C-alpha cells in the first residue's frame, strides 16, 4: 500500500469553597443524584461500598480502572503500570496542581456526581485503592475556575496601568511573579483568584521565560487574545455559495415576475405573458402552461403583474394589468374565477391564511394604496363565484358586487405617495407592511382595521350636534382612507425602499433600496437603524432573513449576491457575477431554506447552493472539521495542541477535554504538517506545506517569528517534520522536508528579526546527504540526530560537528524482490535514549524505524551502525506511521495507517544480534483512518493520539478509552468512572475493518463452501453415532428416586417425573441442553420421475371410495 506521503505528493476551607460557588453550582450540590446529604446509603450501593471501605476521598485514592488486556503480562515483565515519573523540565504549574485535595468526602462525591458520567464508579474486589497515588487538581477550584482575562474590566485595566506606571516611576519597568501577583490581586479586587491562575497568566505573557512582564506585553497579550477570539467567531460562521451557479436556460420571452415555493417542495414561476412553469428543486421542468385566454388580433394581450399561491385552497392568484385578480387551480392550472373592475392595477400581491376558512388577500397598487380583502367562508364564497357568468372563459364578479357579500370586507388605505414596491401581511401582529420609493413613507407598518379613536368619535358627535345627522365612516370603494397616526409606524428612508424582510423571532426588520445600503431596524424604533450593511455597488433587489442560521441573504440588481451575519453585522461571502456566471437583467429571487439555496431569475433560472459540510451524525464526535495532521502536549500548561490540514490550531485542557483556545489561518491556506514545543513548553513551533516554520505564543495566537528559506526556495519545499533542540547553551529549531536538506535556525532572544533565515547547511548534508525527500527527524541528546527519507535511507548525524556518523538502508520484506517497486519510506524514527547514552549498551539497538509492510527495524548506531532486528508490528501489514516509547524504553507503541495501536515489550529486545521479536502486550483500534500523532504523556500514564479522521483522543496506557477532545461530556483524568471506557468510539465500532476476521467475511469462502464442509463432517460421523445418543441421558436408580421422594425437603416430584418420562426414551431431554430441533434427522430426496403410475391402494387395504368400519378386516388379509 502506498504511503500517505506518496499519495499527497502525487496530488494535520470547605465553607469558603462552597461560598465561592455560583447559584447553579450550589443547586447542583443540593440536588444529588443518589440521596439527600446526611442520609446513610445502602451497604450494597456504590456509595455504601465506598463508605464501608473508609475511603476518605474518591478523587485522591483512586486511579484509572485497569483492564484485563495486557495486565498480567506487564506484571510478569516487571513493568510498573502507573509509576511516579518525574516530569521532564519540571512544571511549576504542574506542581501547583498536584496539591492533594483537602475537601471532605461528601463534597467530593457531590462534585463528582454533577459530572456527566457514563457508568458508576468501579470498585473491584480485592483492589488496593490506597496504593495508587495520583496527582490531581482541586475539584472545587477547578469547578469555580474562570480565566483572569475574562474578569478584566475597563476600570480594572485602568488600575493596572496606573500600578505599572507607579513601578516604572520607582525604577522597575517590568514586574516579576511576586510583584505581578500582588498587583493583580490588588487591582482586580477578586477574592476567588488563586495563585495558580495568576502564575498561569504570568507564564502565558512571559512566553520567553525571562521571569518578568511589562505593561506593553500585558496589553499585547490581552489584545491579541480577544482578536483571535473574534476571528474564531467569524470563522465559525463562515458560509459560501457553490460557484458557479447551477443554470437552467429559459426560452426567449417575458421576464419572470416571482419565484414561489409550493408545499410539495417544488417551485412555481409566472412570466408577464401568463406562462406558468413548475420546477423541481434541482431546476427540472415538470409542467408548463399559459393560463391567459388568447385574445383576437388587434387587442392588446393581457399581462400579469404578480402572483401568489393559496395552498389551503389549492389556488393560484394572479394579478393582471386589466385590474383583475384571477384564481386558477394550482394543480391543473384551469381557470376558477376572477375578481375584476378593481380601482387600480394590483402591482404586488400577498396572501395569508388567518383562521379556519378565513383568509386575507392584500395588494398594493400604482396609487400608493394598500388594498386588503378579508374573506370568511372562503370555500363557499369561491364556489359561488365559480357559478357566475364567464368573461373570457373565466367566471367573473366585480369588486363592487363582491363587497356586498357578508363574507367579504374590503379596506383601502392611502399609505404612500408613490407606487407600492412590496407588501406583506403578518398575522402575528396583525399588521400590513408596505414599501415604496417615496422617502417620507418608504416603509409603513400599519393596522388592518382602524383602532378605536376617542378623539375621532368626539369630533363626530360634535358634527352630529351641529348638523343634525350622523356621518359614519365606511370602508369600501371610492376614495381611500388615511390611517390615524396611532395606527401606523412610518419609516423615512433615503431614496425609498425596494425590498424588505421581517423576522418575528429576532424582531428584526431589514430594508434595501436605491442607495445600495442594507439597513437593520427595530420595528418599534423608526427613527434610526440599529445597523447598516455596506458592500453592494447597485440597488438592493432582494432580501431574506434566515432565522435558523442568523444570516441575511441579499441580491442587488448587478446580479451580485451576498451573505451577512446578523450578530457580527459583517459580510461572510460575496458572489460576484463573474464567478456565479449570472447574466442578464435580474427579475426575481427566492431563498429556500429547504434546499439551502438562492434561486435567481435572469435570462436563465439559476440556483446558488450553499456550501455545506457534512455534519457528523449523532454518535460521531469530531475534534476538528479537517484532518488532524499533528498533535502535542505542553507539560507546562497541561494542555494538548492539535493542528489540522485547514491551518487551524486548537488548544485543549488535558484534565477535562474542553477546548481552551483556537485560532486559524496559522499558515494561510496551507496545511500544518508538524509541530513541536520549546523545552519550557511555552512556545509552539509549527511547520507547514508553505515551506515555513512559525513560532507561536499558542495561548493567544501571537506569531513571534517566521523561519523560512529565501522566497525563491519555497517551491515544493513542504516541511515534513521539525524538532527543537539545545546544543550546549544554544537553542536551535531544525526542519526537514521536500527540500532534502536539514535547515537549522538559531533561536536567540537577542535576535529581534521577525523573519529569520537558516544557517549555512552542513558540508556533509550538501555532499553526502539525502537524495530524496526527508520525512522524519529524531534527536537524542546530547549529540545525536537521525533523519529518514522517502527512499528508505536513514542517516545518523553528529550535532556538534555536523558530520554523518552512520547511515542505513531499510531492508526489504522477505518475500519482496529487488526489482519490485516497494514503498521503503521511513515515516517515523525514535531513539532508545537509555541505551544510546549508556556505554553498557554499546552493542544493543538504540534506534527504531518504521519500514515496509508494517515492519519495525532495530538499529545499533554506536559501533559504526548495523542492523539487528526486524519484526512485523502491524498485524494487517499496514504502514507504521508513528512510533513512541516510554521514558524507560520498556514499551513501544506503534500506530499504523488504518488506526491500530500496538504495544510491545522491548525492554530486553535487541540487546544482542540474535534476539527474538518483542512480545505483544496489547493492541486496539483507536481511529478509523491513519494515525498522524502519537505521544506518551509519562507523568499521567496516558497516550495521546490524532488521526486524519478529524479526531484527537486520549487513552490509558492499557488502551482504555478516556475520551475524544471536544466531546460534550467532560472527563476527569484521574477518575476512571468519568472515562468512556469500557465503550469505544462509535465510528471505530461500526467500521468494517474492526469486525473480527473470518474466512467467509474475508471472501475466501462462500456460503456453499461452509455448508458443504459442515455436511462432510456430519456424514463422516453419522455411521459412528447412528445408534448412540449424542448427549448423555440422566441416570437415576429406583432407590435414589424413592429416597428423594421420602425426603422431607422434597417439594415436588420433578425428578421422578423426569425418570419416568425418559426411562425408555431415546432422545435428549430439554433441560437447558440441546433443543428438539438438534435431534432432527434429514434425508436426501430422490429425484421423482416425470411420469408415475397410479398407486394400488388395495394393497394397503384402503379403498377411498368404499367406507368401512373400524372393526372390519381389510380385504385380502
Amino acid at each position: 500500500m502506498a504511503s500517505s506521503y506518496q499519495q499527497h505528493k502525487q496530488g494535520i476551607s470547605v465553607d469558603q469553597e462552597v461560598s465561592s460557588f455560583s447559584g447553579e453550582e450550589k443547586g447542583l450540590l443540593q440536588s444529588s443524584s443518589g440521596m439527600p446529604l446526611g442520609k446513610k446509603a445502602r451497604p450494597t450501593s456504590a456509595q455504601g461500598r465506598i463508605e464501608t471501605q473508609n475511603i476518605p476521598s474518591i478523587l485522591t485514592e483512586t486511579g484509572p480502572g485497569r483492564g484485563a488486556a495486557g495486565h498480567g503480562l506487564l506484571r510478569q515483565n516487571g513493568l510498573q503500570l502507573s509509576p511516579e515519573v518525574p516530569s521532564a523540565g519540571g512544571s511549576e504549574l504542574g506542581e501547583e496542581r498536584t496539591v492533594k485535595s483537602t475537601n471532605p468526602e461528601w463534597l467530593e462525591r457531590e462534585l463528582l456526581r454533577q459530572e456527566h458520567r457514563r457508568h458508576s464508579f468501579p470498585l473491584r474486589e480485592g483492589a488496593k485503592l490506597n496504593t495508587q497515588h495520583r496527582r490531581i487538581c482541586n475539584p472545587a477550584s477547578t469547578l469555580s475556575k474562570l480565566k483572569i482575562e475574562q474578569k478584566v474590566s475597563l476600570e480594572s485595566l485602568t488600575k493596572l496601568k496606573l500600578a505599572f506606571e507607579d513601578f516604572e516611576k520607582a525604577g522597575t519597568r517590568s514586574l516579576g511573579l511576586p510583584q505581578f501577583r500582588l498587583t493583580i490581586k490588588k487591582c482586580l479586587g477578586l477574592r476567588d483568584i488563586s495563585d495558580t491562575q495568576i502564575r498561569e497568566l504570568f507564564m502565558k505573557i512571559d512566553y520567553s521565560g525571562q521571569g518578568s512582564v511589562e505593561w506593553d506585553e500585558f496589553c499585547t497579550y490581552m489584545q491579541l487574545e480577544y482578536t483571535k477570539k473574534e476571528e474564531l467567531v467569524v470563522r465559525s460562521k463562515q458560509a459560501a455559495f457553490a460557484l458557479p451557479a447551477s443554470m437552467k436556460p429559459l426560452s426567449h420571452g417575458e421576464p419572470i415576475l416571482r419565484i414561489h415555493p409550493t408545499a410539495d417542495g417544488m417551485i412555481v414561476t409566472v412570466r408577464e405573458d401568463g406562462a406558468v412553469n413548475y420546477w423541481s428543486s434541482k431546476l427540472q421542468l415538470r409542467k408548463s402552461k399559459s393560463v391567459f385566454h388568447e385574445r383576437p388580433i388587434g387587442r392588446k394581450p393581457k399581462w400579469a403583474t404578480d402572483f401568489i399561491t393559496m395552498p389551503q385552497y389549492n389556488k393560484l392568484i394572479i394579478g393582471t394589468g386589466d385590474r383583475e385578480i384571477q384564481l386558477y387551480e394550482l394543480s391543473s392550472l384551469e381557470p376558477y374565477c376572477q375578481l375584476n373592475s378593481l380601482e387600480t392595477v394590483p402591482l404586488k400581491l400577498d396572501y395569508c391564511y388567518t383562521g379556519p376558512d378565513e383568509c386575507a388577500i392584500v395588494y398594493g397598487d400604482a396609487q400608493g394604496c394598500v388594498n386588503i380583502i378579508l374573506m370568511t367562508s372562503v370555500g363557499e364564497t369561491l364556489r359561488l363565484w365559480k357559478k357566475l357568468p364567464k368573461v373570457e372563459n373565466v367566471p367573473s364578479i366585480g369588486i363592487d358586487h363582491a363587497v356586498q357579500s357578508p363574507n367579504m370586507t374590503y379596506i383601502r388605505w392611502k399609505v404612500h405617495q408613490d407606487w407600492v414596491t412590496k407588501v406583506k401581511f403578518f398575522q402575528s401582529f396583525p399588521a400590513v407592511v408596505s414599501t415604496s420609493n417615496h422617502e417620507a413613507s418608504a416603509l409603513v407598518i400599519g393596522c388592518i382595521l382602524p383602532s378605536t379613536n376617542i378623539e375621532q368619535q368626539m369630533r363626530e358627535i360634535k358634527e352630529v350636534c351641529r348638523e343634525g345627522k350622523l356621518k359614519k365612516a365606511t370602508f369600501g370603494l371610492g376614495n381611500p382612507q388615511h390611517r390615524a397616526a396611532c395606527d401606523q409606524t412610518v419609516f423615512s428612508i433615503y431614496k425609498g425602499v425596494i425590498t424588505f424582510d421581517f423576522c418575528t423571532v429576532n424582531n428584526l426588520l431589514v430594508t434595501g433600496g436605491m442607495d445600495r445600503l442594507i439597513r437593520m431596524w427595530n420595528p418599534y424604533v423608526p427613527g434610526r437603524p440599529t445597523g447598516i450593511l455596506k458592500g453592494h455597488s447597485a440597488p438592493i433587489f432582494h432580501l431574506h432573513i434566515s432565522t435558523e442560521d442568523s444570516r441575511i441573504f441579499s441580491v442587488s440588481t448587478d446580479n451580485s449576491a451576498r451573505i451577512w451575519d446578523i450578530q457580527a453585522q459583517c459580510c461572510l461571502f460575496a458572489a460576484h457575477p463573474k464567478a456565479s456566471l449570472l447574466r442578464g437583467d435580474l427579475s426575481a429571487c427566492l431563498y429556500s431554506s429547504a434546499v439551502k439555496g438562492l434561486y435567481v431569475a435572469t435570462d436563465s433560472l439559476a440556483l446558488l447552493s450553499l456550501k455545506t459540510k457534512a455534519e457528523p451524525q449523532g454518535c460521531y464526535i469530531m475534534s476538528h472539521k479537517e484532518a488532524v495532521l499533528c498533535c502535542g502536549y505542553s507539560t507546562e500548561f497541561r494542555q494538548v495542541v492539535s493542528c489540522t490540514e485547514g491551518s487551524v490550531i486548537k488548544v485543549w485542557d488535558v484534565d477535562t477535554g474542553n477546548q481552551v483556545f483556537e485560532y486559524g489561518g496559522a499558515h494561510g491556506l496551507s496545511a500544518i504538517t508538524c509541530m513541536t514545543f520549546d523545552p519550557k513548553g511555552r512556545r509552539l513551533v509549527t511547520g507547514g506545506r508553505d515551506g515555513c516554520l512559525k513560532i507561536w505564543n499558542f495561548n493567544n495566537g501571537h506569531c513571534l517569528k517566521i523561519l523560512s528559506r529565501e522566497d525563491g526556495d519555497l517551491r515544493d519545499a513542504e516541511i515534513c517534520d521539525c524538532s527543537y533542540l539545545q546544543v550546549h547553551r544554544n537553542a536551535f529549531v531544525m526542519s526537514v522536508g521536500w527540500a532534502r536538506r536539514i535547515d537549522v535556525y538559531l533561536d536567540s532572544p537577542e535576535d529581534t528579526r521577525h523573519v529569520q533565515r537558516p544557517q549555512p547547511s552542513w558540508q556533509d548534508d550538501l555532499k553526502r546527504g539525502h537524495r530524496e525527500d526527508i520525512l522524519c527527524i529524531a534527536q537524542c541528546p546530547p549529540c545525536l540526530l537521525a533523519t529518514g527519507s522517502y527512499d528508505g535511507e536513514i542517516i545518523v548525524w553528529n550535532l556538534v560537528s555536523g558530520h554523518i556518523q552512520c547511515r542505513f538502508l531499510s531492508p526489504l520484506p522477505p518475500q519482496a524482490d529487488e526489482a519490485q517497486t516497494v514503498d521503503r519510506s521511513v515515516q517515523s524514527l525514535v531513539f532508545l535514549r537509555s541505551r544510546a547514552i549508556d556505554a553498557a549498551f554499546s552493542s544493543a539497538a538504540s534506534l527504531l524505524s518504521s519500514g515496509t509492510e508494517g515492519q519495525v527495524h532495530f538499529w545499533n548506531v554506536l559501533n559504526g551502525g548495523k542492523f539487528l532486528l526486524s519484526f512485523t508490528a502491524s498485524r494487517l501489514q499496514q504502514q507504521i506511521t508513528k512510533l513512541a516509547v516510554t521514558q524507560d524504553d520498556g514499551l513501544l507503541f506503534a500506530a499504523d495507517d488504518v488506526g491500530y495501536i500496538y504495544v510491545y515489550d522491548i525492554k530486553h529486545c535487541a540487546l544482542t544480534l540474535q534476539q527474538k521479536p518483542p512480545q505483544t502486550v496489547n493492541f486496539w483500534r483507536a481511529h478509523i483512518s491513519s494515525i498522524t500523532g502519537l505521544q506518551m504523556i509519562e507523568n499521567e500514564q496516558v497516550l495521546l493520539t490524532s488521526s486524519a479522521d478529524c479526531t484527537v483522543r486520549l487513552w490509558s496506557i492499557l488502551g482504555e478509552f478516556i475520551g475524544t477532545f471536544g466531546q460534550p461530556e467532560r472527563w476527569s483524568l484521574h477518575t476512571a468512572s468519568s472515562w468512556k471506557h469500557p465503550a469505544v468510539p462509535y465510528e471505530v465500532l461500526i467500521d468494517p475493518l474492526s469486525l473480527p476476521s473470518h474466512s467467509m467475511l474475508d471472501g475466501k469462502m462462500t456460503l456453499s463452501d461452509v455448508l458443504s464442509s459442515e455436511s462432510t463432517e456430519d456424514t463422516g460421523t453419522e455411521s459412528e453415532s447412528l445408534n448412540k445418543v449424542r448427549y448423555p441421558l440422566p441416570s437415576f436408580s429406583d432407590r435414589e428416586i424413592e429416597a428423594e421422594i421420602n425426603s422431607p425437603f422434597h417439594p415436588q416430584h420433578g425428578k421422578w417425573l423426569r425418570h419416568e418420562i425418559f426411562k425408555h426414551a431415546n432422545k435428549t431431554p430439554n433441560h437447558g441442553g440441546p433443543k428438539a430441533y438438534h435431534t432432527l434427522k434429514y434425508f436426501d430426496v430422490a429425484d421423482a420421475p416425470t411420469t408415475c403410475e397410479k398407486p394400488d391402494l388395495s394393497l394397503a387395504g384402503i379403498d377411498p371410495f368404499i367406507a368401512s368400519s373400524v372393526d372390519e378386516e381389510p380385504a385380502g388379509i
Side-chain angles (χ1 to χ4, degrees):
M1 176 179 290
S3 64
S4 57
Y5 159 80
Q6 185 179 9
Q7 294 175 358
H8 163 63
K9 190 160 186 180
Q10 291 176 357
I12 111 162
S13 98
V14 175
D15 296 334
Q16 294 177 353
E17 293 290 347
V18 173
S19 63
S20 64
F21 290 169
S22 64
E24 181 181 358
E25 294 164 351
K26 290 180 180 179
L28 289 171
L29 290 177
Q30 294 172 0
S31 57
S32 63
S33 59
M35 56 185 65
L37 296 177
K39 187 175 180 178
K40 294 184 178 180
R42 301 190 315 273
T44 56
S45 65
Q47 181 181 356
R49 296 180 66 182
I50 295 173
E51 293 176 355
T52 302
Q53 297 195 21
N54 297 323
I55 299 175
S57 171
I58 296 176
L59 298 177
T60 57
E61 298 296 338
T62 61
R66 300 299 180 193
H71 188 277
L73 181 60
L74 287 173
R75 289 185 178 273
Q76 291 175 6
N77 295 331
L79 298 177
Q80 191 173 355
L81 296 181
S82 55
E84 286 294 331
V85 182
S87 173
S91 168
E92 295 181 2
L93 185 60
E95 293 175 0
E96 179 70 21
R97 298 192 182 190
T98 61
V99 178
K100 190 174 181 180
S101 174
T102 58
N103 290 330
E105 176 186 358
W106 65 267
L107 177 58
E108 295 192 0
R109 282 203 301 268
E110 299 306 321
L111 288 171
L112 186 58
R113 277 178 183 166
Q114 56 187 291
E115 297 291 342
H116 301 282
R117 295 179 295 164
R118 283 198 64 260
H119 54 287
S120 60
F121 187 78
L123 283 175
R124 298 183 177 93
E125 296 181 1
K128 297 180 180 180
L129 300 177
N130 53 355
T131 60
Q132 300 182 11
H133 178 69
R134 281 288 183 176
R135 306 193 324 156
I136 67 168
C137 57
N138 191 327
S141 61
T142 301
L143 183 64
S144 60
K145 179 180 178 181
L146 189 63
K147 294 177 65 175
I148 299 178
E149 302 93 305
Q150 300 174 356
K151 302 178 181 180
V152 176
S153 62
L154 184 60
E155 181 181 358
S156 59
L157 193 63
T158 304
K159 292 181 181 179
L160 281 172
K161 181 181 180 182
L162 295 177
F164 272 92
E165 291 178 352
D166 292 340
F167 278 103
E168 186 174 359
K169 292 178 181 178
T172 305
R173 182 177 178 84
S174 59
L175 305 183
L177 180 57
Q179 297 169 327
F180 183 78
R181 182 189 300 113
L182 293 175
T183 303
I184 291 294
K185 288 185 176 181
K186 178 182 178 180
C187 296
L188 295 186
L190 299 175
R191 298 180 180 179
D192 55 345
I193 296 181
S194 64
D195 292 344
T196 303
Q197 291 177 274
I198 298 177
R199 181 182 292 110
E200 184 176 352
L201 177 61
F202 182 84
M203 289 189 298
K204 290 179 179 179
I205 301 173
D206 182 29
Y207 54 83
S208 59
Q210 297 179 356
S212 61
V213 171
E214 297 182 1
W215 170 248
D216 292 341
E217 294 175 341
F218 180 85
C219 292
T220 301
Y221 174 82
M222 298 290 292
Q223 191 268 338
L224 287 176
E225 182 179 12
Y226 282 103
T227 301
K228 293 297 181 180
K229 288 183 177 180
E230 290 179 359
E231 293 177 357
L232 171 61
V233 173
V234 175
R235 187 170 62 254
S236 63
K237 299 178 179 180
Q238 283 298 325
F241 288 119
L243 300 178
S246 301
M247 296 287 187
K248 184 66 176 181
L250 299 175
S251 59
H252 293 286
E254 300 296 330
I256 292 177
L257 298 173
R258 179 185 283 197
I259 308 172
H260 198 276
T262 60
D264 56 356
M266 301 178 66
I267 60 172
V268 56
T269 61
V270 177
R271 289 187 165 188
E272 284 189 3
D273 56 2
V276 181
N277 294 327
Y278 283 86
W279 309 83
S280 68
S281 59
K282 300 301 181 181
L283 301 182
Q284 296 176 350
L285 185 61
R286 299 300 187 188
K287 183 189 296 186
S288 179
K289 184 178 181 180
S290 181
V291 296
F292 288 162
H293 181 72
E294 285 193 21
R295 290 184 171 180
I297 300 176
R299 288 195 61 183
K300 186 177 180 181
K302 185 176 293 188
W303 53 280
T305 57
D306 199 6
F307 81 96
I308 197 69
T309 61
M310 297 177 69
Q312 291 80 12
Y313 303 97
N314 195 35
K315 297 294 183 292
L316 178 71
I317 307 175
I318 299 179
T320 69
D322 293 342
R323 298 184 301 170
E324 298 168 339
I325 294 179
Q326 296 185 337
L327 279 70
Y328 294 86
E329 291 287 352
L330 193 58
S331 55
S332 62
L333 296 179
E334 293 296 328
Y336 193 84
C337 63
Q338 69 178 3
L339 190 64
N340 56 15
S341 301
L342 302 179
E343 295 289 333
T344 55
V345 175
L347 297 180
K348 298 296 177 180
L349 290 172
D350 193 32
Y351 163 83
C352 182
Y353 183 72
T354 58
D357 208 18
E358 297 180 358
C359 71
I361 300 175
V362 183
Y363 65 91
D365 56 28
Q367 296 181 1
C369 297
V370 174
N371 303 264
I372 306 172
I373 301 175
L374 303 177
M375 299 177 64
T376 60
S377 302
V378 180
E380 179 183 354
T381 303
L382 294 181
R383 285 191 293 270
L384 290 176
W385 289 359
K386 184 177 177 57
K387 299 177 182 179
L388 297 176
K390 296 183 179 181
V391 176
E392 292 186 345
N393 201 29
V394 182
S396 303
I397 184 174
I399 184 65
D400 51 348
H401 293 89
V403 297
Q404 297 177 5
S405 171
N407 297 330
M408 179 174 174
T409 304
Y410 177 73
I411 307 155
R412 189 167 186 233
W413 296 109
K414 177 63 176 178
V415 181
H416 305 282
Q417 300 301 321
D418 201 346
W419 63 49
V420 178
T421 56
K422 189 173 182 178
V423 63
K424 195 169 183 63
F425 186 100
F426 291 94
Q427 176 65 16
S428 57
F429 287 173
V432 175
V433 182
S434 58
T435 59
S436 73
N437 289 322
H438 185 244
E439 293 185 11
S441 58
L443 185 141
V444 177
I445 304 175
C447 65
I448 301 171
L449 296 173
S451 61
T452 303
N453 193 328
I454 303 300
E455 294 182 359
Q456 182 68 20
Q457 290 182 355
M458 293 299 296
R459 196 178 302 112
E460 292 177 357
I461 293 174
K462 291 180 180 179
E463 292 179 357
V464 169
C465 295
R466 183 170 54 251
E467 301 179 4
K469 61 180 179 179
L470 179 62
K471 293 176 61 179
K472 183 178 179 181
T474 58
F475 293 91
L477 301 176
N479 295 329
Q481 304 294 321
H482 292 268
R483 290 193 185 104
C486 60
D487 289 341
Q488 64 182 10
T489 302
V490 181
F491 292 76
S492 180
I493 302 173
Y494 178 66
K495 289 190 176 181
V497 173
I498 297 177
T499 183
F500 74 93
D501 196 14
F502 178 70
C503 176
T504 56
V505 176
N506 298 322
N507 198 29
L508 175 65
L509 176 69
V510 293
T511 61
M514 297 294 295
D515 61 348
R516 302 166 298 183
L517 300 178
I518 300 175
R519 292 176 172 85
M520 306 169 64
W521 304 84
N522 183 330
Y524 301 102
V525 184
R528 185 176 183 179
T530 59
I532 298 177
L533 306 178
K534 301 179 181 179
H536 281 286
S537 57
I540 310 299
F541 182 84
H542 176 76
L543 289 173
H544 175 82
I545 301 175
S546 178
T547 306
E548 59 273 11
D549 301 328
S550 295
R551 296 169 181 166
I552 299 174
F553 295 86
S554 62
V555 183
S556 57
T557 55
D558 60 350
N559 298 334
S560 175
R562 289 178 177 261
I563 307 174
W564 311 81
D565 180 69
I566 294 177
Q567 295 180 351
Q569 296 187 8
C570 63
C571 181
L572 303 178
F573 184 77
H576 296 279
K578 291 184 179 180
S580 61
L581 301 182
L582 295 177
R583 301 288 186 268
D585 295 335
L586 183 63
S587 60
C589 294
L590 170 70
Y591 177 79
S592 174
S593 57
V595 299
K596 295 290 184 180
L598 184 67
Y599 293 98
V600 180
T602 55
D603 291 346
S604 60
L605 190 59
L607 173 61
L608 284 169
S609 301
L610 279 177
K611 286 184 178 180
T612 55
K613 293 186 177 180
E615 295 293 335
Q617 299 180 6
C619 299
Y620 286 20
I621 299 174
M622 299 294 182
S623 306
H624 288 266
K625 295 182 179 180
E626 309 90 4
V628 184
L629 299 186
C630 53
C631 67
Y633 175 70
S634 171
T635 308
E636 189 77 3
F637 295 106
R638 296 180 61 82
Q639 292 175 343
V640 170
V641 179
S642 57
C643 308
T644 71
E645 195 172 26
S647 198
V648 176
I649 298 176
K650 286 188 178 183
V651 184
W652 312 87
D653 183 10
V654 74
D655 292 309
T656 61
N658 293 337
Q659 181 177 329
V660 178
F661 191 67
E662 174 187 351
Y663 58 99
H667 285 257
L669 299 178
S670 301
I672 302 175
T673 56
C674 57
M675 58 164 287
T676 187
F677 291 96
D678 68 348
K680 295 181 180 179
R682 301 187 185 183
R683 292 182 298 164
L684 173 69
V685 182
T686 60
R689 289 179 181 161
D690 56 355
C692 297
L693 289 168
K694 294 187 178 182
I695 303 178
W696 304 87
N697 181 353
F698 60 91
N699 287 288
N700 65 346
H702 181 197
C703 182
L704 307 174
K705 282 185 179 181
I706 298 178
L707 313 177
S708 69
R709 290 167 161 257
E710 297 293 338
D711 295 339
D713 298 337
L714 294 182
R715 181 184 301 176
D716 294 337
E718 174 180 326
I719 304 296
C720 295
D721 203 358
C722 61
S723 180
Y724 196 103
L725 61 149
Q726 284 185 309
V727 180
H728 303 303
R729 296 183 179 180
N730 296 324
F732 298 95
V733 178
M734 288 190 173
S735 67
V736 294
W738 290 4
R740 305 178 183 179
R741 294 290 177 265
I742 302 175
D743 292 330
V744 182
Y745 300 88
L746 178 64
D747 183 28
S748 174
E750 287 80 15
D751 192 348
T752 59
R753 293 176 297 173
H754 184 66
V755 180
Q756 188 173 334
R757 304 302 179 188
Q759 293 186 337
S761 300
W762 296 334
Q763 290 300 318
D764 276 12
D765 189 16
L766 294 175
K767 297 178 181 179
R768 303 166 51 203
H770 288 280
R771 294 179 295 272
E772 265 293 346
D773 301 343
I774 307 177
L775 304 183
C776 56
I777 187 173
Q779 60 161 317
C780 180
C783 60
L784 290 182
L785 180 75
T787 56
S789 61
Y790 177 69
D791 57 358
E793 186 178 31
I794 302 171
I795 301 180
V796 181
W797 307 80
N798 188 310
L799 284 173
V800 179
S801 63
H803 294 309
I804 295 177
Q805 182 165 325
C806 55
R807 64 196 311 159
F808 317 103
L809 184 63
S810 298
L812 292 172
Q815 68 277 10
D817 188 8
E818 288 289 344
Q820 184 180 0
T821 302
V822 179
D823 180 14
R824 306 175 73 171
S825 60
V826 182
Q827 299 286 336
S828 182
L829 291 169
V830 63
F831 273 102
L832 303 179
R833 299 188 180 187
S834 61
R835 301 182 183 183
I837 61 177
D838 192 350
F841 296 96
S842 60
S843 60
S846 55
L847 178 66
L848 276 68
S849 68
S850 63
T852 61
E853 297 182 358
Q855 290 187 330
V856 173
H857 309 304
F858 287 77
W859 309 88
N860 175 270
V861 299
L862 297 180
N863 296 330
K866 60 182 177 179
F867 171 75
L868 293 183
L869 179 65
S870 178
F871 75 101
T872 302
S874 175
R875 296 194 173 191
L876 301 178
Q877 296 184 354
Q878 298 293 320
Q879 178 79 39
I880 297 296
T881 57
K882 291 294 177 181
L883 296 173
V885 294
T886 54
Q887 190 171 354
D888 60 353
D889 297 332
L891 293 178
L892 168 67
F893 296 86
D896 66 8
D897 200 41
V898 292
Y900 276 92
I901 295 177
Y902 303 89
V903 187
Y904 294 93
D905 178 19
I906 61 170
K907 193 173 186 64
H908 305 287
C909 183
L911 296 178
T912 60
L913 184 59
Q914 296 180 354
Q915 284 285 332
K916 295 181 180 180
Q919 189 175 4
T920 303
V921 177
N922 195 4
F923 74 94
W924 69 93
R925 195 175 189 197
H927 300 271
I928 60 174
S929 187
S930 176
I931 294 180
T932 58
L934 182 69
Q935 182 175 351
M936 178 69 189
I937 304 177
E938 292 282 348
N939 55 347
E940 301 296 341
Q941 290 293 285
V942 293
L943 192 67
L944 175 66
T945 62
S946 65
S947 171
D949 62 2
C950 308
T951 59
V952 183
R953 295 191 171 117
L954 201 63
W955 310 81
S956 73
I957 195 174
L958 295 179
E960 297 164 325
F961 181 37
I962 298 177
T964 302
F965 287 96
Q967 67 183 25
E969 308 87 6
R970 70 175 188 173
W971 65 71
S972 177
L973 187 59
H974 308 284
T975 306
S977 57
S978 66
W979 299 357
K980 288 287 187 180
H981 178 77
V984 297
Y986 178 76
E987 54 268 34
V988 173
L989 182 64
I990 66 174
D991 191 76
L993 197 58
S994 302
L995 295 175
S997 179
H998 190 272
S999 56
M1000 185 174 178
L1001 295 176
D1002 296 339
K1004 299 178 181 178
M1005 295 182 65
T1006 62
L1007 182 60
S1008 59
D1009 296 336
V1010 177
L1011 294 177
S1012 62
S1013 63
E1014 291 179 354
S1015 61
T1016 303
E1017 294 176 0
D1018 293 342
T1019 304
T1021 59
E1022 184 179 358
S1023 59
E1024 300 177 1
S1025 61
L1026 185 61
N1027 297 323
K1028 296 181 181 180
V1029 180
R1030 179 173 296 183
Y1031 298 95
L1033 297 173
S1035 177
F1036 305 104
S1037 64
D1038 294 337
R1039 291 182 181 181
E1040 291 176 345
I1041 296 173
E1042 184 178 1
E1044 181 74 18
I1045 294 174
N1046 295 331
S1047 174
F1049 302 101
H1050 182 68
Q1052 56 185 359
H1053 306 285
K1055 184 179 290 188
W1056 175 80
L1057 291 175
R1058 289 196 299 271
H1059 171 74
E1060 291 299 324
I1061 293 173
F1062 301 111
K1063 188 174 182 179
H1064 303 289
N1066 192 22
K1067 63 179 180 180
T1068 304
N1070 186 11
H1071 53 28
K1075 306 300 181 182
Y1077 64 86
H1078 288 151
T1079 60
L1080 294 177
K1081 297 181 179 180
Y1082 64 92
F1083 302 93
D1084 293 335
V1085 179
D1087 294 337
T1090 56
T1091 60
C1092 60
E1093 299 178 357
K1094 180 180 179 181
D1096 188 2
L1097 299 179
S1098 62
L1099 297 177
I1102 302 174
D1103 192 345
F1105 300 102
I1106 302 175
S1108 61
S1109 63
V1110 178
D1111 296 332
E1112 289 182 354
E1113 293 184 359
I1117 295 179

